[in-house]
Amino acid sequence: MAPILRSKEEREKIRETGHIVAEVLAELRSSIAPGITTGDIDTIAVEVLKRFGATSSSLGYHGYPASLCTSVNEEVVHGIPGKRVLRDGDIVTLDLAASYKGWHADSAVTVSVGSASADARRLLKVTEEALYRGIAAARVGNRLLDISRAVQQHVEKVGFFIVRHYSGHGIGRSMHEDPQILNYVETSDPDSMLRLKAGMVIAIEPMVIIGTEETRDLEDGWTSVSADGTYAAHFEHTIAVTEGDAEILTL
Ligand code: MF3
Ligand code: CO
């Protein structure tokens, strides 16, 4: 299906939501310290969203029970906030999609709690860099797989692993729209050959594991963890493709 192209005005609406997502994530980051629970972080997210008049896009999505996803250490994605206490040396992904005036934006960041190990810090750095490589490849005339390739090469160059089970996505009137944005090159994916056009709004979100590409799901039906128990990281921005550099809407 042809990807939806958003006008300048529509992109500015998504940017408004994106600003809110960024503000909430900034407040969550500053709240993180050893001793806080993931449920406490979710509570803060709810409060800050409310202050902005925005709502979580995740709450109730296919029955998802929280407003935020919090994924700790070997958890890759969709960790459910709850009683878990964060400890010095943990890493935690804060993944937030929100809606404001009918427009969605989505962003994620993995941060360390107190002093993370050198391994963990390297994982965070490489995963964030991979996101930015993908954003730099999001240029008119390139194909979707140029984004995928840029992300994949950066991660595999250092020997880490791309999670293949999850991908980025178009975003706008819904949290998840076509096309999907793979984090690895898969030429049999018909979307991968699509040419990027000005006005496309997409969420790029590499998920990276230190030791494996395999994940498994926990019994809560949501949390995905690395199969080998090694750390996972996840960085995400919502961006707009333009005639020049892509614009990051979740800043
Ligand atoms: N923010 C996640 C994403 O990047 C999805 C939210 S969790 C869900 O797509 F439960 F709502 F799916
Ligand atoms: Co997303």
Side-chain angles (χ1 to χ4, degrees):
M1 217 179 65
I4 301 168
L5 302 181
R6 307 292 185 185
S7 68
K8 179 82 184 144
E9 290 71 29
E10 290 170 325
R11 278 159 13 215
E12 291 311 314
K13 297 283 186 198
I14 299 172
R15 192 196 301 275
E16 269 190 71
T17 310
H19 277 315
I20 296 172
V21 168
E23 287 284 347
V24 177
L25 286 177
E27 292 212 26
L28 300 183
R29 288 183 78 143
S30 64
S31 75
I32 285 181
I36 196 170
T37 69
T38 54
D40 295 334
I41 304 170
D42 184 65
T43 302
I44 299 169
V46 172
E47 285 169 7
V48 182
L49 283 171
K50 195 169 167 198
R51 202 201 310 145
F52 283 104
T55 54
S56 165
S57 314
S58 304
L59 182 65
Y61 184 85
H62 292 282
Y64 184 72
S67 294
L68 177 73
C69 298
T70 52
S71 305
V72 183
N73 296 342
E74 77 286 1
E75 295 174 358
V76 179
V77 71
H78 299 160
I80 302 172
K83 293 189 187 335
R84 180 164 185 169
V85 178
L86 296 181
R87 308 215 178 272
D88 186 55
D90 284 344
I91 59 172
V92 59
T93 300
L94 309 171
D95 182 2
L96 178 70
S99 158
Y100 179 68
K101 297 183 179 171
W103 293 97
H104 295 254
D106 191 358
S107 183
V109 61
T110 307
V111 298
S112 51
V113 183
S115 49
S117 67
D119 273 3
R121 279 184 280 123
R122 181 139 181 276
L123 174 69
L124 303 193
K125 178 169 181 283
V126 169
T127 308
E128 185 171 26
E129 287 168 353
L131 168 60
Y132 280 91
R133 296 292 178 105
I135 293 170
R139 302 191 70 85
V140 169
N142 276 358
R143 298 181 191 273
L144 276 184
L145 67 73
D146 291 306
I147 299 176
S148 310
R149 182 187 294 113
V151 169
Q152 179 178 22
Q153 283 184 346
H154 190 67
V155 168
E156 293 183 348
K157 196 171 58 194
V158 304
F160 292 153
F161 295 84
I162 289 286
V163 174
R164 293 173 179 240
H165 194 72
Y166 300 93
S167 54
H169 47 90
I171 183 166
R173 283 302 194 181
S174 316
M175 170 169 60
H176 292 150
E177 297 180 352
D178 288 338
Q180 60 172 346
I181 317 292
L182 300 181
N183 292 308
Y184 61 96
V185 175
E186 176 57 74
T187 46
S188 69
D189 168 28
D191 284 353
S192 74
M193 298 308 277
L194 276 177
R195 296 274 183 196
L196 290 158
K197 292 205 175 81
M200 286 177 67
V201 176
I202 57 177
I204 302 177
E205 49 178 321
M207 284 153 247
V208 177
I209 301 174
I210 288 184
T212 181
E213 64 177 61
E214 302 296 330
T215 60
R216 65 185 174 82
D217 293 336
L218 298 188
E219 271 155 27
D220 63 17
W222 284 100
T223 312
S224 172
V225 300
S226 67
D228 65 352
T230 58
Y231 289 131
H234 176 196
F235 282 82
E236 174 175 25
H237 273 307
T238 296
I239 68 159
V241 178
T242 74
E243 291 297 340
D245 292 341
E247 292 176 5
I248 301 176
L249 303 181
T250 38
L251 288 178

